[in-house]
Amino acid sequence: MERTLVLAKPDAVQRGLVGEIISRLEGTGLKLVALKMVWMDTEMARRHYGIHRGKPFFDGLVQFITSCPLVAAVFEGPKAVEIARKAMGDTDPARAPSGTIRGDLALDIGRNIVHGSDSVENAEQEISLFFKPEELFSYERQIKPWIIES
Ligand code: IDP
Ligand code: MG
């Protein structure tokens, strides 16, 4: 089953929006399989955002993401990567539609409150950066047939 990494970023922690972010993603029907608070260090941040190294916003992004603890979660389900990113909306909150997390709760691309993996491959790498295998839970939900047809 597909998994994706979700981060309620330091701005979400500061603004008291962690519960709302997790709640909106739970509401999609995706299954929460891991959750913890993490204070990223510079090395971890540079690894997580390695693809953006050299871009003008990179140093500010690393500074921001390490400035305060964040909350990391793993959600699981069919098309988890795509479903979670759709719930978050575009990277720039100004372009994110109403009804999405960023569209409703953020204003600035540099303070867009949430991260979601952008591919299944990247999700696997990102999850392994944040979580040990034993921190990912495997369990059944009785409600599953009411959320997933087969
Ligand atoms: P994503 O978070 O929607 O996947 P990416 O393009 O991967 O977007 O960028 C990673 C993060 O870098 C964004 O979520 C945002 O926090 C930050 N970022 C991206 N572009 C800019 C920018 O132009 N200015 C400031 N921060 C940016
Ligand atoms: Mg990205």
Side-chain angles (χ1 to χ4, degrees):
M1 189 59 82
E2 193 168 311
R3 288 171 170 168
T4 192
L5 178 78
V6 170
L7 302 177
K9 292 178 178 177
D11 46 349
V13 172
Q14 290 283 338
R15 293 176 57 198
L17 292 173
V18 174
E20 169 130 20
I21 290 167
I22 300 298
S23 179
R24 285 186 181 221
L25 290 162
E26 283 184 299
T28 64
L30 290 174
K31 179 162 72 173
L32 183 62
V33 298
L35 184 70
K36 68 173 165 186
M37 195 167 217
V38 178
W39 197 327
M40 292 177 81
D41 63 19
T42 303
E43 189 193 332
M44 187 178 181
R46 292 177 74 87
R47 188 128 51 108
H48 176 69
Y49 282 123
I51 195 164
H52 298 300
R53 200 164 297 167
K55 293 185 185 169
F57 60 84
F58 182 73
D59 289 346
L61 177 59
V62 169
Q63 206 283 326
F64 160 70
I65 208 78
T66 59
S67 63
C68 162
L70 51 71
V71 172
V74 178
F75 281 91
E76 181 181 288
K79 299 190 179 170
V81 166
E82 185 184 337
I83 296 279
R85 282 188 67 97
K86 187 165 64 77
M88 291 173 194
D90 301 52
T91 306
D92 183 352
R95 304 178 74 96
S98 293
T100 65
I101 294 168
R102 287 162 170 168
D104 289 347
L105 302 172
L107 289 174
D108 185 336
I109 193 167
R111 298 289 184 269
N112 62 6
I113 72 171
V114 72
H115 167 84
S117 308
D118 65 3
S119 70
V120 175
E121 195 184 15
N122 287 342
E124 283 171 10
Q125 280 192 3
E126 292 175 2
I127 290 166
S128 69
L129 185 62
F130 280 85
F131 293 95
K132 299 177 194 148
E134 62 268 27
E135 292 175 325
L136 297 164
F137 290 94
S138 177
Y139 65 97
E140 293 302 321
R141 293 184 300 179
Q142 301 303 319
I143 200 175
K144 186 179 171 197
W146 301 101
I147 299 173
I148 299 167
E149 186 178 5
S150 58

